[in-house]
Amino acid sequence: DTGVSQDPRHKITKRGQNVTFRCDPISEHNRLYWYRQTLGQGPEFLTYFQNEAQLEKSRLLSDRFSAERPKGSFSTLEIQRTEQGDSAMYLCASSEQNYGYTFGSGTRLTVV
Amino acid sequence: GESVGLHLPTLSVQEGDNSIINCAYSNSASDYFIWYKQESGKGPQFIIDIRSNMDKRQGQRVTVLLNKTVKHLSLQIAATQPGDSAVYFCAGSRDSARQLTFGSGTQLTVLP
């Protein structure tokens, strides 16, 4: 499978716990994006990387959210001290410079 | 800022008929648009894209029309099939980073 892979597919966590999600982009794609999608809504942009550089992070929802892409390949999204309002689908996408914008299947987070 | 919206939250069509899903955007600086299909529990699946220097683009059974004058785009699906049942999103961007702004989606239901 040469698409965008996300792990885990589902995560249930207790409020206050930290969670980390992983995204493996299409190998030749240099851009990687994180989005959040709540029920009935379209995805909402969070942050993106060009290679290992995080070029936009002002749209991260709070300082509890952080993302890394240490070697310009896979990326992780961490949410600290989770709240019930963080329950959503977290989507990763990757692209070449100007085409091939491909999404993964997402990680569904439920905070209880 | 940018806003992207869809005209109808739901659309039902008979199998074999053509479907037209509409979308409006607010920012005339938007220069790139994508249509995605999303099935339940899955990530958005790329259908077709169009740049602002084009008015029309065709794919397999799909056509996207862009009217920059009224800031409107549409997705036409020919000979709609049951497998086309899904939520359809339009998304636009206005920067080279390609941060997409999504509409809220149209649920397409194909009736037998």
Side-chain angles (χ1 to χ4, degrees), chain B residues 60-73:
Chain B
Q60 191 172 14
R61 284 201 306 119
V62 295
T63 301
V64 55
L65 299 177
L66 176 62
N67 185 329
K68 294 179 287 293
T69 302
V70 295
K71 298 197 280 290
H72 178 274
L73 71 160

Side-chain angles (χ1 to χ4, degrees), chain B residues 15-45:
Chain B
E15 181 178 355
D17 287 353
N18 297 335
S19 304
I20 300 176
I21 303 173
N22 295 301
C23 183
Y25 61 96
S26 64
N27 194 324
S28 57
S30 296
D31 64 351
Y32 179 62
F33 302 90
I34 309 179
W35 280 99
Y36 285 96
K37 170 187 178 183
Q38 188 172 29
E39 296 172 292
S40 181
K42 297 184 179 180
Q45 176 188 349

Side-chain angles (χ1 to χ4, degrees), chain A residues 9 31 33 35 37 40-43 45 48 56 59 89 91 97-105, chain B residues 32 34 36 38 41-46 49 51 89 95-105:
Chain A
R9 289 295 309 277
R31 290 184 172 182
Y33 305 80
Y35 285 77
Q37 186 176 24
Q41 300 298 313
F45 172 83
Y48 98 100
E56 174 57 64
R59 305 276 290 277
M89 174 79 85
L91 292 161
Q97 194 76 4
N98 282 308
Y99 67 92
Y101 211 116
T102 304
F103 280 85
S105 295
Chain B
Y32 179 62
I34 309 179
Y36 285 96
Q38 188 172 29
K42 297 184 179 180
Q45 176 188 349
F46 175 92
D49 61 358
R51 301 186 188 282
F89 292 98
D95 55 54
S96 61
R98 296 300 176 220
Q99 301 171 38
L100 296 178
T101 299
F102 281 78
S104 54

